[in-house]
Amino acid sequence: MHLEKRDYDAVIVGSGPNGLAAAILMQQKGLSVLLIEGKSTIGGGLRSARLTLSGYMHDICSAVHPLAIASPFFQTLPLSAHGLEYIYPEVAAAHPFDNGTAAILKGSVEETAGLLGADENAYVKLIKPVVKDWPAIAPDILGPLHYPKHPLAMARFGLPALTSAAHLVKRFETPEARGLFAGMAAHAIQPLSNLATSAIALVLMANGHLKGWPIPKGGSNQIANALASYFLSIGGKIETNTQITSLQQLPYAHAVLFDVTPRQLLKIAGHRFSSIYKWQLERYRYGMGVFKIDWALDAQIPFKAAGCHKAGTIHIGNTFEEITDGEKQIWQGKHSEKPYVLLAQPSIFDPTRAPEGKHTAWAYCHVPNGSKKDMAAIIENQVERFAPGFKDTILARHKMNTAQMEHYNPNYIGGDINGGVIDLGQLFTRPVLRWSPYKTSAKGIYICSSSTPPGGGVHGMCGYHAARRALKDSFGITD
Ligand SMILES: Cc1cc2nc3c(=O)[nH]c(=O)nc-3n(C[C@H](O)[C@H](O)[C@H](O)COP(=O)(O)OP(=O)(O)OC[C@H]3O[C@@H](n4cnc5c(N)ncnc54)[C@H](O)[C@@H]3O)c2cc1C
């Protein structure tokens, strides 16, 4: 393909994991690529900072990375040579109950199943096929809708995955297995009665058995730093402190890929879109928000259940029924007094996060989109419930409501951390129903954020697929 000379072949706006992945793939193909970031540092949902006291390092957004190590694209990159080291907590996730016990996701399928009593066989039957098929189906699951390479394996996954968690949980009878499954499905950030809420639970559980749920040594920003370091090493360029509000700010390029959500894209490039595409983008739906809290702690969290002490991630919410009820209330615009809380305790495994003998913890709960309510006391009550004495360990806290989340990163519209609801209506057709969801109606303009398939999480696969589309359309590169 003959192309006239421009400032860059491609420009990527936004340096989250998807922007970084898109920039890397295009640079790897021999193009000249500029990555532009509005904030003073790169990374989007992959930043860490000393949010509380000196000596305590906190992950501002993402903390735990089963999807990053499962990412077919990230696996091809020499990230360890660029400083990234993962730490694997012995227990991937623990789910404490009021009676002082906890269900845990750990080791092999059989190991976890063996702790689930009467649900041992039901667990093996549900999760084992996903674990076995994962290497074959991962590229299809973590990509746009298309005819799968392994249709039978995909059907084996798709049939249970497309059901609601409320339906699939009927395979379990013990409160332990039901609670564990609910804690996994609640990562979907929507009512557990919604279709396809089982998908995220199956993916997270299977990957817990395959590789575990690692945390990066030093903080999540180490993933962004490694990606950026590799990108620069192959000739890419990065410009920070450049918030893009108009296409006129951009250098002349053949393709521009936006790591932003539809609402922002409409403001920046809406005048270039067809009226039908604009109409479709305007109808894109955002979901529940999050209230985020980070603590500097005097000691490890004193969970009653021993299984929690070795877990990187804790799902707080007790029973399936309690989590279901809380998520439903929040979806309806109310705040839950006993919300599902997702908590990570990285300093137990990574001594670089806190001074010797001290600890950090990271947590968030779901809230209605745009909520300004301070949920700190409610979250701390939930932790205290399963870890009496927790509040006495708090040295300092840092809080972010949904408005502060959005101010921090304009992609978190109303505090939605997934770039839009990932329900059945927006699972494959995010942001709109099109042959390629990454391509806009304007020539040379693409969207590559988590508002495209496969959606939220740190895996870079939205950026990877968007870049492949742009490489094909704008540069005739198909391999
Ligand atoms: C509190 C929280 C906890 C999370 N926990 C996890 C977790 O543990 N594991 C996990 O896998 N995922 C987690 N996530 C989700 C994950 O962080 C996101 O899904 C992921 O970062 C999305 O990547 P992205 O590249 O699409 O966008 P983002 O990471 O949001 O990056 C977008 C970037 O674009 C920049 N930008 C936006 N607009 C412009 C503009 N106009 N001009 C220039 N730059 C712009 C932003 O500043 C930002 O740097 C969490 C998110 C949050 C907020």
Side-chain angles (χ1 to χ4, degrees):
M1 198 181 254
H2 174 72
L3 294 167
E4 66 180 87
K5 184 91 185 101
R6 306 226 166 155
D7 298 331
Y8 291 92
D9 292 318
V11 171
I12 318 292
V13 177
S15 69
N18 288 311
L20 282 158
I24 287 171
L25 182 64
M26 297 189 91
Q27 186 72 38
Q28 280 179 329
K29 299 292 174 191
L31 304 181
S32 64
V33 180
L34 173 68
L35 176 61
I36 296 177
E37 168 56 48
K39 301 286 172 178
S40 59
T41 57
I42 54 115
L46 282 172
R47 294 194 187 97
S48 311
R50 300 196 186 282
L51 298 175
T52 55
L53 305 174
S54 126
Y56 293 80
M57 180 61 87
H58 304 274
D59 290 328
I60 304 170
C61 306
S62 65
V64 184
H65 293 286
L67 298 176
I69 49 155
S71 164
F73 182 55
F74 285 172
Q75 279 172 17
T76 66
L77 305 178
L79 299 182
S80 59
H82 287 267
L84 178 60
E85 187 184 327
Y86 282 115
I87 298 171
Y88 294 82
E90 184 181 329
V91 174
H95 188 114
F97 297 95
D98 276 336
N99 65 5
T101 65
I104 59 175
L105 178 77
K106 162 183 194 213
S108 66
V109 175
E110 288 74 14
E111 201 173 340
T112 292
L115 300 168
L116 292 175
D119 281 322
E120 180 172 358
N121 290 339
Y123 187 85
V124 174
K125 207 169 156 203
L126 180 64
I127 305 298
K128 191 105 183 168
V130 189
V131 170
K132 185 173 148 281
D133 289 337
W134 180 257
I137 61 179
D140 287 326
I141 291 175
L142 297 173
L145 190 61
H146 60 279
Y147 190 76
K149 285 207 178 80
H150 302 273
L152 280 179
M154 264 309 265
R156 261 196 306 275
F157 171 77
L159 287 174
L162 289 175
T163 65
S164 71
H167 174 78
L168 204 60
V169 82
K170 290 181 189 151
R171 296 199 185 190
F172 299 124
E173 58 183 82
T174 62
E176 289 77 18
R178 290 167 61 83
L180 184 68
F181 190 72
M184 299 288 164
H187 282 254
I189 321 189
Q190 55 187 295
L192 303 195
S193 53
N194 279 8
L195 285 175
T197 39
S198 295
I200 186 73
L202 296 177
V203 168
L204 290 175
M205 289 166 117
N207 279 286
H209 295 302
L210 282 161
K211 292 195 176 167
W213 290 14
I215 56 166
K217 184 173 178 190
S220 287
N221 62 345
Q222 297 303 328
I223 301 180
N225 291 346
L227 289 165
S229 165
Y230 172 62
F231 174 58
L232 294 171
S233 77
I234 56 173
K237 301 263 181 312
I238 297 179
E239 189 176 303
T240 52
N241 285 315
T242 310
Q243 187 71 21
I244 300 301
T245 53
S246 151
L247 290 177
Q248 285 168 346
Q249 288 170 265
L250 296 173
Y252 203 30
H254 293 287
V256 184
L257 282 71
F258 283 94
D259 186 8
V260 307
T261 81
R263 198 173 294 179
Q264 299 142 275
L265 188 60
L266 276 167
K267 284 194 191 136
I268 299 168
H271 61 287
R272 292 277 307 278
F273 297 151
S274 68
S275 42
I276 174 104
Y277 187 69
K278 256 165 74 174
W279 180 84
Q280 286 177 303
L281 283 187
E282 279 159 4
R283 264 142 200 83
Y284 188 71
R285 289 172 295 121
Y286 293 90
M288 307 195 294
V290 303
F291 182 94
K292 166 85 190 316
I293 185 162
D294 287 278
W295 297 284
L297 302 174
D298 197 25
Q300 193 177 327
I301 302 178
F303 282 107
K304 277 190 272 184
C308 295
H309 300 159
K310 292 177 178 170
T313 302
I314 313 283
H315 292 156
I316 292 176
N318 204 34
T319 59
F320 180 87
E321 289 70 21
E322 200 176 309
I323 294 175
T324 304
D325 184 52
E327 293 299 289
K328 185 170 155 202
Q329 280 184 43
I330 301 160
W331 185 258
Q332 291 170 343
K334 299 174 217 152
H335 292 87
S336 169
E337 284 301 307
K338 288 184 175 178
Y340 163 76
V341 174
L342 191 46
L343 184 146
Q345 36 186 16
S347 60
I348 298 177
F349 314 96
D350 179 1
T352 69
R353 308 289 186 105
E356 200 179 338
K358 309 288 180 197
H359 286 277
T360 60
W362 161 115
Y364 67 80
C365 74
H366 304 151
V367 289
N369 189 287
S371 158
K372 300 238 173 70
K373 187 173 162 84
D374 185 339
M375 297 294 286
I378 288 176
I379 290 180
E380 287 172 6
N381 285 342
Q382 279 289 70
V383 182
E384 181 82 18
R385 178 177 163 195
F386 301 96
F390 162 68
K391 289 185 189 177
D392 297 334
T393 69
I394 300 173
L395 298 172
R397 64 173 71 72
H398 177 271
K399 309 181 274 187
M400 285 170 103
N401 65 23
T402 67
Q404 290 157 330
M405 293 291 328
E406 185 172 339
H407 178 74
Y408 168 73
N409 180 344
N411 284 28
Y412 301 149
I413 308 281
D416 177 340
I417 65 172
N418 271 338
V421 187
I422 313 190
D423 61 7
L424 198 55
Q426 291 194 159
L427 188 60
F428 302 110
T429 57
R430 53 200 298 115
V432 302
L433 178 61
R434 268 176 93 75
W435 179 247
S436 168
Y438 309 101
K439 196 172 165 163
T440 71
S441 65
K443 186 164 182 264
I445 299 181
Y446 300 84
I447 177 166
C448 69
S449 70
S450 60
S451 303
T452 63
V458 173
H459 43 64
M461 294 306 290
C462 312
Y464 169 80
H465 286 292
R468 281 184 50 139
R469 186 77 236 171
L471 283 164
K472 183 169 183 222
D473 292 351
S474 298
F475 304 94
I477 299 173
T478 52
D479 64 336

